[in-house]
Amino acid sequence: MKKIISTLLLTILYGNAHFLTLLPSSDNIEDKKDSNIKIDSMFIHPFEQSGMNMEKPKGIYVNSTKNEIVPTQITKFENKAWQSSYTVTKPGVYKFFVQPEPYFEESEGLFISHVPKVIVSAFGVEDGWDEPIGLKYEIVPLTKPFGIYAGNIFQGVVLKDGKTQTNIEVEVELYNEFGLKAPTSSHITQSIKTDKNGVFSFVMNHKGWWGFAALIEEGEKEYKGKKYPIENGALFWLKAY
């Protein structure tokens, strides 16, 4: 029995990647009636559509930490999550991101601090999607992120303090609102690595929102008198049509 339980626990551990998820109501605003964007922030397992409590973040921002958006508490996947709204008033490219409170994952013995980013184009303007915001850990797209079809290849570069990062693992998951079943637990989270230039590539084989998480373990944080490592994540969300 112990062997069976251990096997089940291992299966759960391998099949559950944590993603701080940032989903806008649209990544393309073309009509004034759609200019009020709703943005959901939640801490979940995207493919399995299950969640965890997300404490109120330090802030949700657009383009820089000087432009903060007030979040309202909501419930997603039976857990605490946050929703913000932002009204686009002029054409442009808008980059939304979240600075969360670190989450302690007891089963892995570490803190998780993921900073997700999503880019929205408004009224036909497309300039600047390939420019960094200046986050400490950041994925910068090399593929225009708001005009992608299922089957397209997506490329991004991972930066830390503005410098490209070699051999960094990037986890990928589909926000599986379609009820897809993975053939094995290993198929739930896809994993790729950055090359010598910090670049990764991935072909999205299904429509929907996709999350990319570049993971860099750095720093420590104390919990109940003991120090634990921090898994820092540069996350990027985009939609394939």
Side-chain angles (χ1 to χ4, degrees):
M1 182 60 75
K2 287 183 178 178
K3 186 177 180 180
I4 293 173
I5 293 173
S6 298
T7 302
L8 287 172
L9 287 173
L10 284 173
T11 299
I12 292 168
L13 286 174
Y14 282 119
N16 284 267
H18 303 75
F19 278 71
L20 209 157
T21 304
L22 186 63
L23 301 185
S25 50
S26 176
D27 63 348
N28 258 294
I29 307 300
E30 295 189 324
D31 194 304
K32 191 175 180 181
K33 67 178 175 56
D34 302 318
S35 60
N36 183 254
I37 307 170
K38 303 293 185 190
I39 307 156
D40 290 347
S41 305
M42 45 196 163
F43 195 43
I44 64 171
H45 305 130
F47 191 89
E48 295 166 294
Q49 297 281 282
S50 61
M52 296 145 283
N53 274 323
M54 177 182 173
E55 298 303 322
K56 187 176 183 179
K58 296 174 182 175
I60 300 176
Y61 308 95
V62 55
N63 294 335
S64 85
T65 53
K66 295 178 181 177
N67 304 314
E68 186 171 0
I69 309 169
V70 178
T72 301
Q73 185 177 323
I74 59 173
T75 300
K76 285 283 188 180
F77 304 109
E78 302 178 345
N79 281 280
K80 189 192 305 181
W82 302 89
Q83 186 176 76
S84 308
S85 65
Y86 183 82
T87 301
V88 173
T89 58
K90 59 183 180 182
V93 166
Y94 295 83
K95 301 172 184 175
F96 298 91
F97 62 100
V98 178
Q99 291 284 2
E101 292 290 349
Y103 171 87
F104 182 63
E105 178 53 66
E106 190 168 6
S107 67
E108 298 182 36
L110 52 73
F111 281 91
I112 297 174
S113 180
H114 289 175
V115 177
K117 181 174 76 172
V118 65
I119 300 179
V120 175
S121 169
F123 306 119
V125 172
E126 299 185 346
D127 297 335
W129 55 262
D130 56 348
E131 298 171 2
I133 295 174
L135 303 173
K136 183 172 181 61
Y137 309 96
E138 186 170 4
I139 291 176
V140 177
L142 299 177
T143 308
K144 187 173 72 176
F146 39 75
I148 291 180
Y149 292 105
N152 283 170
I153 189 170
F154 173 72
Q155 288 191 309
V157 60
V158 176
L159 303 180
K160 177 192 161 192
D161 295 322
K163 297 180 179 178
T164 58
Q165 298 297 301
T166 301
N167 199 35
I168 295 296
E169 182 174 11
V170 180
E171 295 184 340
V172 187
E173 277 200 25
L174 171 69
Y175 184 77
N176 181 20
E177 55 189 326
F178 313 100
L180 301 177
K181 303 296 182 187
T184 73
S185 58
S186 296
H187 290 77
I188 292 173
T189 305
Q190 305 288 299
S191 294
I192 46 181
K193 286 208 167 186
T194 58
D195 66 13
K196 63 181 181 181
N197 298 311
V199 174
F200 66 88
S201 304
F202 186 82
V203 175
M204 294 157 291
N205 64 345
H206 199 282
K207 67 178 182 180
W209 285 99
W210 288 83
F212 296 79
L215 306 176
I216 299 174
E217 194 168 296
E218 184 177 57
E220 290 182 324
K221 185 175 173 59
E222 191 170 310
Y223 179 69
K224 293 183 177 179
K226 183 178 178 182
K227 289 185 176 180
Y228 293 91
I230 302 173
E231 178 192 87
N232 302 281
L235 270 68
F236 192 80
W237 283 91
L238 61 86
K239 187 176 184 180
Y241 288 77

